């Protein structure tokens, strides 16, 4: 963790200040939390937080009436100083200090003068609790379970096509099955070892694509598009079908951490930028754009259960939906009659447009992840 702490600013407020730039100097010592705020005023300003205690602390600036958090600094080390930029409207505010292994401490309430109709605060959100996230997590788990049943059927159809030696049909069914898996949103090891067995690439393996540890969708993809002999390809398809069934069986006993849901909404498209839109996961099918499109569906699936929480906390939700629609149109433009343009055939302008659309969504979804992060509260 950085010595100076991490500044988190909610949903579009001013950019975080990497160092103090003046303004009120606020004590972040839990024993004197919030002391030093002597000249309250509305408008954009930067507080200088100074941790005079002997332990690391987290500091939040909150609306005293609603508990909404306007900004926070995490991991402020002993003796460290950090700037916290905010925009304040007329109202009453408090600093909350959350030291390691201690109860939260609420500082003195400070009233900022002004007309509430003319001075408005920057973005703020009421903290989300684990209990808030349990219903969305359960809804997502049920949806994922139903989707895995469809994935099993698609993978079985792929295995049948491979075993009959119908390579064109196998390629078509491979894409159907792989996109069904991609729509689950399996970013950054979300499904653990079972997911790794299904979606690993040849990168990092001692023998690359010839390594015995190379299994899953990309193993079958490599065989189908590189004219692998039938016996080895059948074995790879059989292994894939077994691993998909193992994923479904394991999921029935999995209890997802509710706090993971908000992060997953962000990580799916972050992983898309890192892997699919660099071509790192393409083993011959040229389906990177199709996978990116499936990841948009996965993102919507994660956002769906979170919407009741986001509607009252994230004013950017309508704009996010519009950008999701726009990114879908951009990607869909590269599909014709079920055939997707390989990533390498995009010209520079097309590539930039795709990257920009997905990159913009990744930035917006970072706010969703921040808003859905479980916070300690007084």
């Amino acid at each position: 963790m950085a010595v100076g702490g991490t500044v988190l600013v909610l949903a579009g407020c001013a950019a975080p200040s990497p160092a103090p730039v003046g303004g009120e100097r606020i004590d972040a010592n839990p024993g004197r939390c919030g002391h030093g705020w002597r000249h309250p005023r509305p408008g954009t300003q930067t507080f200088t937080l100074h941790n005079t205690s002997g332990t690391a602390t987290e500091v939040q600036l909150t609306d005293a009436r609603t508990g909404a958090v306007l900004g926070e600094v995490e991991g402020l080390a002993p003796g460290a100083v950090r700037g916290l930029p905010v925009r304040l409207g007329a109202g009453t505010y408090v600093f909350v200090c959350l030291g390691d292994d201690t109860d939260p401490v609420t500082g003195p309430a400070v009233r900022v003068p002004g007309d509430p109709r003319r001075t408005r605060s920057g973005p703020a959100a009421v903290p989300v609790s684990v209990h808030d996230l349990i219903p969305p997590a359960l809804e997502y788990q049920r949806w994922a379970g139903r989707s895995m049943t469809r994935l099993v059927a698609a993978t079985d159809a792929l295995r049948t096509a491979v075993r009959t030696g119908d390579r064109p049909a196998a390629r078509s069914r491979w894409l159907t099955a792989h996109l069904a898996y991609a729509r689950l949103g399996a970013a950054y090891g979300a499904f653990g070892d079972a997911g790794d067995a299904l979606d690993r690439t040849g990168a990092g393996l001692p023998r690359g694509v010839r390594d015995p540890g190379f299994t899953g969708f990309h193993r079958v993809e490599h065989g189908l598009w590189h004219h692998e002999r039938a016996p080895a390809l059948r074995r790879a398809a059989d292994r894939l079908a077994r691993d998909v069934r193992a994923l479904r069986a394991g999921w029935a006993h999995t209890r997802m951490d509710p706090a993971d849901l908000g992060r997953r909404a962000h990580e799916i498209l972050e992983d898309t930028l890192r892997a699919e839109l660099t071509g790192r996961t393409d083993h011959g099918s040229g389906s990177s754009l199709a996978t990116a499109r499936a990841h948009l569906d996965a993102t919507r699936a994660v956002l769906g259960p979170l919407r009741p929480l986001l509607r009252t906390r994230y004013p950017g939700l309508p704009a996010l939906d519009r950008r999701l629609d726009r990114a879908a149109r951009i990607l869909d433009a590269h599909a014709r009659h079920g055939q997707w343009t390989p990533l390498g055939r995009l010209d520079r302008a097309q590539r930039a447009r795709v990257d920009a659309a997905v990159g913009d969504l990744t930035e917006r979804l970072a706010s969703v992840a921040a808003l859905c992060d479980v916070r300690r509260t007084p």
Side-chain angles (χ1 to χ4, degrees), residues 60-227:
Q60 300 173 351
L61 178 60
T62 68
D63 186 306
R65 181 178 62 84
T66 66
V69 178
L70 288 90
E72 60 187 340
V73 170
E74 292 183 336
L76 189 62
V81 177
R82 195 71 173 175
L84 177 64
V86 293
R87 186 172 76 246
L88 299 181
T92 302
Y93 304 92
V94 295
F95 280 98
V96 178
C97 300
L98 306 100
D100 290 346
D101 302 319
T102 62
D103 292 332
V105 176
T106 300
V110 175
R111 190 179 74 83
V112 172
D115 184 346
R117 295 169 299 182
R118 302 182 64 181
T119 59
R120 294 184 179 275
S121 296
V126 176
V128 170
S129 71
V130 171
H131 293 293
D132 293 328
L133 290 170
I134 288 175
L138 290 175
E139 182 180 342
Y140 173 79
Q141 281 193 253
R142 290 190 291 268
W143 171 85
R146 295 190 299 271
S147 298
M148 287 179 188
T149 296
R150 293 190 289 271
L151 173 62
V152 167
T155 309
D156 284 348
L158 164 62
R159 179 179 59 180
T160 298
V162 169
R163 295 190 69 82
T164 59
D166 188 343
R167 197 167 293 252
R171 287 179 174 181
S172 175
R173 290 173 183 174
W174 177 88
L175 182 60
T176 298
H178 184 245
L179 296 185
Y181 180 73
R183 291 187 184 99
L184 292 174
Y188 292 114
F191 297 130
D193 292 342
D196 290 342
L198 291 174
D199 211 33
R200 63 168 52 101
T201 68
L205 296 175
R207 297 177 58 195
V209 296
R210 299 183 182 277
D211 196 276
F214 182 33
T215 63
F217 281 103
H218 295 301
R219 167 65 182 86
V220 176
E221 175 191 12
H222 187 272
L224 284 171
W225 272 270
H226 290 84
H227 308 288

Side-chain angles (χ1 to χ4, degrees), residues 312-336:
T312 58
R313 290 173 170 85
Y314 182 39
L317 186 58
L320 173 61
D321 286 334
R322 291 192 296 271
R323 293 305 178 105
L324 281 165
D325 290 340
R326 178 175 178 270
R329 290 193 298 271
I330 290 172
L331 289 168
D332 286 342
H334 298 292
R336 292 287 185 276

Side-chain angles (χ1 to χ4, degrees), residues 26 33 41 49 56 75 79 81 95 99 129 143 156 173 183 186 200 229-230 239 257 296 326 328 336 343 346 354:
I26 306 299
C33 182
R41 62 177 179 82
L49 305 181
V81 177
F95 280 98
S129 71
W143 171 85
D156 284 348
R173 290 173 183 174
R183 291 187 184 99
R200 63 168 52 101
R229 292 182 177 179
R239 168 69 187 272
D257 183 349
L296 290 181
R326 178 175 178 270
R336 292 287 185 276
L343 187 67
L346 300 186
V354 169

Side-chain angles (χ1 to χ4, degrees), residues 254-272:
T254 297
R255 291 297 175 263
M256 179 180 176
D257 183 349
D260 288 344
L261 201 57
R263 288 194 297 272
R264 186 168 295 185
H266 172 252
E267 289 175 346
I268 292 169
L269 291 186
E270 184 179 62
D271 199 36
T272 304

